[in-house]
Amino acid sequence: MIRVAVLGYGNIGRSAEQAINAAPDMELAGVFHHNDCLECIDADVVLVCTPTREVQKFAAVLAARGICTVDSFDIHGQIWNLRTALNPVCLTNKTVSVISAGWDPGTDSMIRALLTAMAPKGLTYTNFGPGRSMGHTVAAKAIKGVKNALSMTIPLGTGIHRRMVYVELEDGADFKTVEAAVLADDYFAHDETHVIAVDSVDALNNVAHGVNLVRSGVSGETHNQRFEFNMSINNPALTGQVMVSCARAAVRMRERGEYGARTMIELRPIDLLAGETENLVKALV
Amino acid sequence: MIRVAVLGYGNIGRSAEQAINAAPDMELAGVFHHNDCLECIDADVVLVCTPTREVQKFAAVLAARGICTVDSFDIHGQIWNLRTALNPVCLTNKTVSVISAGWDPGTDSMIRALLTAMAPKGLTYTNFGPGRSMGHTVAAKAIKGVKNALSMTIPLGTGIHRRMVYVELEDGADFKTVEAAVLADDYFAHDETHVIAVDSVDALNNVAHGVNLVRSGVSGETHNQRFEFNMSINNPALTGQVMVSCARAAVRMRERGEYGARTMIELRPIDLLAGETENLVKALV
């Protein structure tokens, strides 16, 4: 049994715990909080379910102890930096960190890589939603006069998105002033954005999300090869499950001596799955 | 430059040649026919584009010379046997054979594996077409009174398919007799099948194909996670391109000392792609 611990117990940490308990080859090695003693964690793998900006700090401490880690670091422009920072720690301490292991970055990344291998020339568009954007929600909440907010991402195709911003106003706040501040914010100024006042943001709460990923490209000399991937999912449940599947891959890679920090496009799909190679090949190939 | 040769010059061999020529990191090391001297092939990788039943014989001879091979062996029930036969040859001769590298088996297999990792419990249905089925076409051609035939696979959902069989009759053949023979054939007896007489099968010829692959499953304890992959493609062009991308993976695996016969679910997506790790991670993750 692979012993998997959870560090951080928000939406994703709770979902990850459920996925560990559902896995036939894993047991829960404990749930830990940000302020707990990291030296006290005894596990084969730790799922780092902290806020994204704290991932590197925690993963580096755990990797230095030779423990495998998995995170769902999701700032696309900084993923290579995270890999570069953790890779030498993993090599020195003979362990594996799987980074940015969620659905985007994560499984969407694997699909983008696969579609590029199938049609090397062409365009891929990743369309997100409908679903809540955490970054935009946080930006809307920070605006003066906003008590609570929810920013929904609506896909319009070709990677263009509409922002539907639901705001619960503080007593005495002026809607028109808040609306103007949202529309002027750099998070919203570049997209079609609609601001709507509601009595309760909590009443809208829903962790549903989705993706529509399309590629049209060229295989060899043949144009008009068309591919599409769609999903409609519970966001933290999928993220937690993907992290747990990557925990299995991390342990297998460490067993084979393939140390280092790796993104999901650097993992073999079979390593994500419970079971023997023969059975998996017979069932899935 | 990776030196890639093509063995067998039918639809797939021709498409593979085009994909080699389009690849920035490859050069064509020759096109060879079934009866050519295998000992004369000088290449890093050979794409075995022969009929499926001849793949094992040719791949084993080439692997014994330490050459990497890629095939698109497509008899689903015999893939594990092929892997078992080629694996010791690859291990002994320190080389890599990527087997069953097309779109199904192949890239569809990678997607099935990935979706299983995202929602381990649930059902996946792979719906093929509309497109020509080679196996069913050959079965229809073998029927007495049939001069030429084309069997189209039409997806009806949940893995159920309709067979549309277009037959060009020999002079004097009776349509009703041919129709009854098609419907009684084991290839067609279990599916909804329609037989249609046409003047020219050649006039219907089209290498378009498609897939609709759906999974509904459970991530952790969360049900109703829904995934769908669709594609509409030129069949030999995609198969040839996938084989060429797998040739790159085979060479990289051999360079790392990861010898053996492997299916596509055992490959890292990044190994399929031209370019450096840093650029690929930045572009795709």
Short mmCIF file of all heavy atoms in Angstrom, two decimals, chain B residues 56 59-61 63-66 79-97 99 259-262:
data_model
loop_
_atom_site.label_atom_id
_atom_site.label_comp_id
_atom_site.label_asym_id
_atom_site.label_seq_id
_atom_site.Cartn_x
_atom_site.Cartn_y
_atom_site.Cartn_z
N GLN B 56 4.93 -8.76 -36.52
CA GLN B 56 5.81 -9.39 -35.53
C GLN B 56 7.09 -9.94 -36.17
O GLN B 56 8.19 -9.74 -35.65
CB GLN B 56 5.06 -10.50 -34.79
CG GLN B 56 5.92 -11.15 -33.70
CD GLN B 56 5.16 -12.18 -32.91
OE1 GLN B 56 3.95 -12.05 -32.68
NE2 GLN B 56 5.85 -13.23 -32.48
N ALA B 59 9.34 -6.91 -37.22
CA ALA B 59 9.83 -6.16 -36.06
C ALA B 59 10.86 -6.97 -35.29
O ALA B 59 11.86 -6.42 -34.81
CB ALA B 59 8.65 -5.77 -35.15
N ALA B 60 10.66 -8.27 -35.18
CA ALA B 60 11.60 -9.11 -34.43
C ALA B 60 12.97 -9.14 -35.10
O ALA B 60 14.01 -9.06 -34.43
CB ALA B 60 11.04 -10.52 -34.28
N VAL B 61 12.99 -9.23 -36.43
CA VAL B 61 14.27 -9.25 -37.16
C VAL B 61 15.01 -7.93 -36.98
O VAL B 61 16.23 -7.90 -36.74
CB VAL B 61 14.03 -9.54 -38.66
CG1 VAL B 61 15.30 -9.32 -39.47
CG2 VAL B 61 13.51 -10.97 -38.85
N ALA B 63 14.53 -5.61 -34.54
CA ALA B 63 14.92 -5.40 -33.13
C ALA B 63 16.16 -6.23 -32.80
O ALA B 63 17.03 -5.80 -32.03
CB ALA B 63 13.76 -5.76 -32.20
N ALA B 64 16.27 -7.40 -33.39
CA ALA B 64 17.44 -8.25 -33.14
C ALA B 64 18.72 -7.59 -33.65
O ALA B 64 19.81 -7.92 -33.20
CB ALA B 64 17.25 -9.61 -33.81
N ARG B 65 18.57 -6.66 -34.60
CA ARG B 65 19.73 -5.89 -35.07
C ARG B 65 19.94 -4.62 -34.24
O ARG B 65 20.81 -3.79 -34.57
CB ARG B 65 19.55 -5.51 -36.54
CG ARG B 65 19.63 -6.70 -37.52
CD ARG B 65 19.57 -6.22 -38.96
NE ARG B 65 20.56 -5.19 -39.22
CZ ARG B 65 20.41 -4.19 -40.09
NH1 ARG B 65 19.29 -4.08 -40.79
NH2 ARG B 65 21.35 -3.29 -40.25
N GLY B 66 19.13 -4.42 -33.19
CA GLY B 66 19.28 -3.25 -32.33
C GLY B 66 18.61 -2.01 -32.87
O GLY B 66 18.82 -0.90 -32.35
N ILE B 79 -2.57 -7.83 -28.73
CA ILE B 79 -1.52 -6.82 -28.48
C ILE B 79 -0.57 -7.27 -27.38
O ILE B 79 0.65 -7.12 -27.49
CB ILE B 79 -2.16 -5.45 -28.16
CG1 ILE B 79 -2.88 -4.91 -29.40
CG2 ILE B 79 -1.12 -4.46 -27.66
CD1 ILE B 79 -3.76 -3.70 -29.15
N TRP B 80 -1.13 -7.83 -26.31
CA TRP B 80 -0.25 -8.28 -25.22
C TRP B 80 0.69 -9.38 -25.69
O TRP B 80 1.86 -9.42 -25.30
CB TRP B 80 -1.07 -8.73 -24.01
CG TRP B 80 -0.17 -9.10 -22.88
CD1 TRP B 80 0.13 -10.35 -22.43
CD2 TRP B 80 0.61 -8.20 -22.06
NE1 TRP B 80 1.03 -10.30 -21.40
CE2 TRP B 80 1.34 -8.99 -21.15
CE3 TRP B 80 0.75 -6.81 -22.03
CZ2 TRP B 80 2.20 -8.44 -20.21
CZ3 TRP B 80 1.61 -6.26 -21.08
CH2 TRP B 80 2.32 -7.06 -20.19
N ASN B 81 0.17 -10.26 -26.56
CA ASN B 81 1.03 -11.33 -27.10
C ASN B 81 2.18 -10.75 -27.92
O ASN B 81 3.32 -11.23 -27.83
CB ASN B 81 0.21 -12.28 -28.00
CG ASN B 81 -0.76 -13.11 -27.18
OD1 ASN B 81 -0.68 -13.17 -25.96
ND2 ASN B 81 -1.72 -13.72 -27.87
N LEU B 82 1.89 -9.73 -28.72
CA LEU B 82 2.95 -9.10 -29.52
C LEU B 82 4.00 -8.46 -28.60
O LEU B 82 5.21 -8.61 -28.80
CB LEU B 82 2.35 -8.04 -30.45
CG LEU B 82 3.35 -7.24 -31.29
CD1 LEU B 82 4.12 -8.16 -32.25
CD2 LEU B 82 2.63 -6.13 -32.07
N ARG B 83 3.52 -7.77 -27.56
CA ARG B 83 4.44 -7.15 -26.60
C ARG B 83 5.32 -8.20 -25.94
O ARG B 83 6.54 -8.02 -25.79
CB ARG B 83 3.64 -6.37 -25.56
CG ARG B 83 4.49 -5.51 -24.61
CD ARG B 83 3.58 -4.87 -23.58
NE ARG B 83 4.27 -3.98 -22.65
CZ ARG B 83 5.03 -4.38 -21.65
NH1 ARG B 83 5.26 -5.67 -21.45
NH2 ARG B 83 5.58 -3.49 -20.82
N THR B 84 4.71 -9.32 -25.57
CA THR B 84 5.44 -10.40 -24.89
C THR B 84 6.48 -11.02 -25.83
O THR B 84 7.57 -11.41 -25.39
CB THR B 84 4.43 -11.47 -24.42
OG1 THR B 84 3.48 -10.84 -23.57
CG2 THR B 84 5.12 -12.58 -23.66
N ALA B 85 6.13 -11.10 -27.12
CA ALA B 85 7.08 -11.69 -28.08
C ALA B 85 8.25 -10.76 -28.35
O ALA B 85 9.40 -11.22 -28.45
CB ALA B 85 6.35 -12.01 -29.39
N LEU B 86 7.99 -9.47 -28.49
CA LEU B 86 9.07 -8.54 -28.87
C LEU B 86 9.90 -8.06 -27.68
O LEU B 86 11.06 -7.69 -27.85
CB LEU B 86 8.48 -7.32 -29.60
CG LEU B 86 7.87 -7.59 -30.97
CD1 LEU B 86 7.30 -6.29 -31.57
CD2 LEU B 86 8.90 -8.18 -31.93
N ASN B 87 9.31 -8.05 -26.49
CA ASN B 87 10.01 -7.46 -25.34
C ASN B 87 11.38 -8.10 -25.07
O ASN B 87 12.37 -7.37 -24.95
CB ASN B 87 9.12 -7.54 -24.09
CG ASN B 87 9.57 -6.62 -22.99
OD1 ASN B 87 9.88 -5.45 -23.24
ND2 ASN B 87 9.64 -7.14 -21.77
N PRO B 88 11.49 -9.44 -25.02
CA PRO B 88 12.83 -10.01 -24.75
C PRO B 88 13.83 -9.72 -25.87
O PRO B 88 15.03 -9.55 -25.59
CB PRO B 88 12.56 -11.52 -24.60
CG PRO B 88 11.20 -11.75 -25.19
CD PRO B 88 10.45 -10.47 -25.07
N VAL B 89 13.37 -9.64 -27.10
CA VAL B 89 14.28 -9.31 -28.21
C VAL B 89 14.83 -7.91 -28.01
O VAL B 89 16.03 -7.65 -28.20
CB VAL B 89 13.55 -9.42 -29.58
CG1 VAL B 89 14.54 -9.19 -30.72
CG2 VAL B 89 12.84 -10.76 -29.72
N CYS B 90 13.96 -6.99 -27.61
CA CYS B 90 14.40 -5.60 -27.37
C CYS B 90 15.36 -5.53 -26.19
O CYS B 90 16.37 -4.81 -26.24
CB CYS B 90 13.20 -4.70 -27.10
SG CYS B 90 12.15 -4.45 -28.54
N LEU B 91 15.07 -6.26 -25.11
CA LEU B 91 15.93 -6.20 -23.93
C LEU B 91 17.31 -6.76 -24.26
O LEU B 91 18.33 -6.18 -23.88
CB LEU B 91 15.28 -6.99 -22.78
CG LEU B 91 14.00 -6.40 -22.22
CD1 LEU B 91 13.39 -7.34 -21.17
CD2 LEU B 91 14.24 -5.02 -21.59
N THR B 92 17.35 -7.87 -24.97
CA THR B 92 18.62 -8.51 -25.30
C THR B 92 19.46 -7.61 -26.21
O THR B 92 20.69 -7.54 -26.07
CB THR B 92 18.37 -9.85 -26.04
OG1 THR B 92 17.60 -10.68 -25.17
CG2 THR B 92 19.67 -10.55 -26.39
N ASN B 93 18.78 -6.90 -27.12
CA ASN B 93 19.52 -6.12 -28.13
C ASN B 93 19.50 -4.62 -27.85
O ASN B 93 19.84 -3.83 -28.72
CB ASN B 93 18.96 -6.44 -29.51
CG ASN B 93 19.16 -7.91 -29.85
OD1 ASN B 93 20.26 -8.33 -30.16
ND2 ASN B 93 18.11 -8.71 -29.72
N LYS B 94 19.08 -4.27 -26.61
CA LYS B 94 19.13 -2.89 -26.15
C LYS B 94 18.46 -1.93 -27.12
O LYS B 94 19.07 -0.96 -27.60
CB LYS B 94 20.58 -2.46 -25.88
CG LYS B 94 21.20 -3.29 -24.77
CD LYS B 94 22.54 -2.75 -24.32
CE LYS B 94 23.02 -3.52 -23.08
NZ LYS B 94 24.31 -3.07 -22.60
N THR B 95 17.20 -2.21 -27.42
CA THR B 95 16.46 -1.34 -28.30
C THR B 95 15.01 -1.22 -27.82
O THR B 95 14.65 -1.76 -26.76
CB THR B 95 16.55 -1.83 -29.76
OG1 THR B 95 16.05 -0.82 -30.63
CG2 THR B 95 15.77 -3.13 -29.97
N VAL B 96 14.21 -0.48 -28.55
CA VAL B 96 12.83 -0.19 -28.15
C VAL B 96 11.91 -0.45 -29.34
O VAL B 96 12.18 0.01 -30.46
CB VAL B 96 12.68 1.28 -27.70
CG1 VAL B 96 11.21 1.63 -27.41
CG2 VAL B 96 13.55 1.55 -26.47
N SER B 97 10.82 -1.18 -29.10
CA SER B 97 9.75 -1.33 -30.10
C SER B 97 8.49 -0.71 -29.53
O SER B 97 8.01 -1.13 -28.46
CB SER B 97 9.47 -2.82 -30.39
OG SER B 97 10.51 -3.38 -31.13
N ILE B 99 4.69 -0.54 -30.00
CA ILE B 99 3.72 -1.37 -30.72
C ILE B 99 2.33 -0.74 -30.67
O ILE B 99 2.01 0.05 -29.78
CB ILE B 99 3.68 -2.81 -30.18
CG1 ILE B 99 3.09 -2.87 -28.77
CG2 ILE B 99 5.09 -3.43 -30.18
CD1 ILE B 99 2.78 -4.28 -28.29
N TYR B 259 14.91 0.10 -22.39
CA TYR B 259 14.68 -0.85 -23.48
C TYR B 259 13.41 -1.66 -23.26
O TYR B 259 12.96 -1.86 -22.14
CB TYR B 259 15.88 -1.82 -23.56
CG TYR B 259 17.22 -1.13 -23.60
CD1 TYR B 259 18.21 -1.46 -22.68
CD2 TYR B 259 17.50 -0.16 -24.55
CE1 TYR B 259 19.45 -0.83 -22.69
CE2 TYR B 259 18.73 0.48 -24.58
CZ TYR B 259 19.70 0.14 -23.65
OH TYR B 259 20.92 0.77 -23.66
N GLY B 260 12.85 -2.16 -24.38
CA GLY B 260 11.70 -3.06 -24.28
C GLY B 260 10.67 -2.76 -25.34
O GLY B 260 10.78 -1.80 -26.10
N ALA B 261 9.62 -3.61 -25.39
CA ALA B 261 8.47 -3.37 -26.27
C ALA B 261 7.40 -2.68 -25.43
O ALA B 261 7.07 -3.13 -24.33
CB ALA B 261 7.94 -4.69 -26.82
N ARG B 262 6.86 -1.59 -25.94
CA ARG B 262 5.95 -0.77 -25.16
C ARG B 262 4.75 -0.33 -25.99
O ARG B 262 4.90 0.00 -27.17
CB ARG B 262 6.67 0.50 -24.65
CG ARG B 262 7.85 0.23 -23.74
CD ARG B 262 7.42 -0.29 -22.38
NE ARG B 262 8.53 -0.60 -21.51
CZ ARG B 262 9.02 -1.84 -21.31
NH1 ARG B 262 8.46 -2.88 -21.93
NH2 ARG B 262 10.03 -2.04 -20.51
#
